[in-house]
Amino acid sequence: MSGKVNYTKGIFYLLLCLGVIAVGAVLKVTAEVVLPVTIAVFLSLVFHPVINTLHTRFKIPTFLGITIIFLIVFVVMLFVGTLLVSSTKAILALYPKYEERFLTIYVAMADIFNLPYNQELSLINNLWSQLGIRNAIQSIAVSASNNLITFVRNLTVVCLFVIFLITEIGLFKAKAVAALDGKSPGRITFIMRDIIQQVTKYISVKFFISLLTGIFVTLGVTLVKLDFPIIWGFIAFVLNFIPNFGSILSGVMTTFFALVQFWPDPKPVIWIGFVMLAVNMILGNFVEPRVQGRNLGISPFIIIVSLSVWGWLWGFLGMILAVPMMVILKIVCENIEFLQPLSILMGSRAPEMRVPEDKDSTEAQA
């Protein structure tokens, strides 16, 4: 019947939307368990090609290759941790020098915004007693100690997951095909290969671009003699993993500290701002796209939304994992027929539309 309406597709997308909401709620509740597994999967995708190369070219056994990779990572983390601890000690040692600067800025802000200020008290006492920051500092200290314990525990769990995943990743493709009863094995192989290639390349390129960002920021602020250059380089390295907003936040933090250190001289502050802007613009907008090669094809709006969603689900780590997760979702949607409309909506390019021929002109040509 011509008047009959097919609601199947609409019902399917409604159920899909409800399913996505349900999955999001589950991921939020089970973040403590799911997040370490997700991080381990991505690290396995990055480490596996390196370990496989060591095995095929240099005949190094897989377990020995895993040991070598973990030793290298441990040494690097120990080196960076030592630098950060020494920089933190330097910050505490130089705090009296900066208290005057912060006090000057606080007095200026107190006059502008009518904040409470007692001249007989120090800056810390003013902030603690007048603005009620004491409770916030105490809660942050307790939270930091709890987070440190959680970090060490999760790091151990992630390392164990990575070891077992790398040893079994070679069999996973065969398992996936067998689990689906051999249906469309070529399509399954293509999806898995595309996911591994794109995610591995994205994380690898992002790591090296972030590393270069941290190095150049460290060198740039060192030339101006900004204090604690290692700290600012490390912050730039970490925040660069968050698309768009990470580099902006890093630039604002570094420039603000330069303002505090060099107040009231504006020249070093302008130089620091220029260095942060130039490094992030050149590496982020020119070098990274050229090295990345194939465009991920995800809409910038979708990336911003994914940052918000994954950040709400899993916090800071969720924002770092947002783009790889969207890459995987887009690849899966591209290769499943009834999900292809979602991949088009997630894409950064408009699909090629086929223009229908005019009926009258076709009949006239006939």
Side-chain angles (χ1 to χ4, degrees), residues 70-80:
F70 271 89
L71 282 176
I72 294 173
V73 172
F74 175 76
V75 170
V76 171
M77 290 182 63
L78 184 63
F79 175 72
V80 173

Side-chain angles (χ1 to χ4, degrees), residues 34-274:
V34 179
L35 185 55
V37 177
T38 306
I39 295 173
V41 170
F42 284 121
L43 290 178
S44 301
L45 293 178
V46 175
F47 291 155
H48 179 259
V50 180
I51 295 171
N52 191 38
T53 302
L54 293 176
H55 178 68
T56 55
R57 290 189 179 182
F58 304 100
K59 307 302 179 183
I60 298 177
T62 301
F63 185 77
L64 183 58
I66 295 173
T67 305
I68 293 172
I69 294 297
F70 271 89
L71 282 176
I72 294 173
V73 172
F74 175 76
V75 170
V76 171
M77 290 182 63
L78 184 63
F79 175 72
V80 173
T82 304
L83 290 178
L84 292 177
V85 169
S86 61
S87 298
T88 304
K89 290 180 179 179
I91 291 174
L92 295 177
L94 293 175
Y95 170 74
K97 167 188 172 183
Y98 287 102
E99 184 175 12
E100 278 185 42
R101 304 286 176 85
F102 279 115
L103 185 60
T104 303
I105 295 175
Y106 177 75
V107 171
M109 293 296 103
D111 291 338
I112 295 174
F113 298 103
N114 294 323
L115 298 176
Y117 173 68
N118 188 341
Q119 295 182 354
E120 298 179 357
L121 299 177
S122 64
L123 173 64
I124 294 297
N125 289 330
N126 267 283
L127 292 176
W128 282 21
S129 61
Q130 303 286 349
L131 299 180
I133 294 183
R134 183 189 300 271
N135 295 331
I137 295 293
Q138 291 174 348
S139 63
I140 289 174
V142 174
S143 177
S145 61
N146 294 333
N147 289 338
L148 180 61
I149 296 173
T150 304
F151 172 76
V152 174
R153 182 191 64 192
N154 289 339
L155 183 62
T156 305
V157 172
V158 167
C159 291
L160 292 174
F161 284 162
V162 170
I163 292 173
F164 286 101
L165 280 171
I166 291 178
T167 55
E168 295 188 10
I169 198 171
L171 301 174
F172 184 75
K173 181 171 68 175
K175 289 181 179 180
V177 175
L180 296 174
D181 297 328
K183 296 179 181 178
S184 304
R187 179 61 61 86
I188 294 170
T189 303
F190 174 78
I191 293 175
M192 293 181 60
R193 184 174 65 247
D194 202 15
I195 288 175
I196 292 174
Q197 288 178 351
Q198 287 210 46
V199 171
T200 301
K201 189 170 185 179
Y202 172 80
I203 295 178
S204 303
V205 170
K206 198 68 178 175
F207 173 81
F208 286 110
I209 293 297
S210 299
L211 182 61
L212 288 176
T213 301
I215 292 173
F216 286 132
V217 167
T218 302
L219 294 176
V221 299
T222 302
L223 291 176
V224 194
K225 298 182 179 180
L226 183 70
D227 291 337
F228 323 119
I230 300 294
I231 293 287
W232 304 118
F234 180 75
I235 291 175
F237 165 74
V238 173
L239 292 182
N240 194 67
F241 282 94
I242 301 176
N244 304 326
F245 297 106
S247 57
I248 296 175
L249 180 59
S250 170
V252 170
M253 292 171 62
T254 308
T255 306
F256 175 75
F257 186 83
L259 177 66
V260 173
Q261 177 178 335
F262 297 110
W263 177 272
D265 186 7
K267 293 180 181 179
V269 181
I270 295 174
W271 169 255
I272 294 292
F274 173 76

Side-chain angles (χ1 to χ4, degrees), residues 15-28:
L15 292 176
L16 180 64
C17 181
L18 295 175
V20 169
I21 295 174
V23 169
V26 172
L27 291 177
K28 178 70 174 179

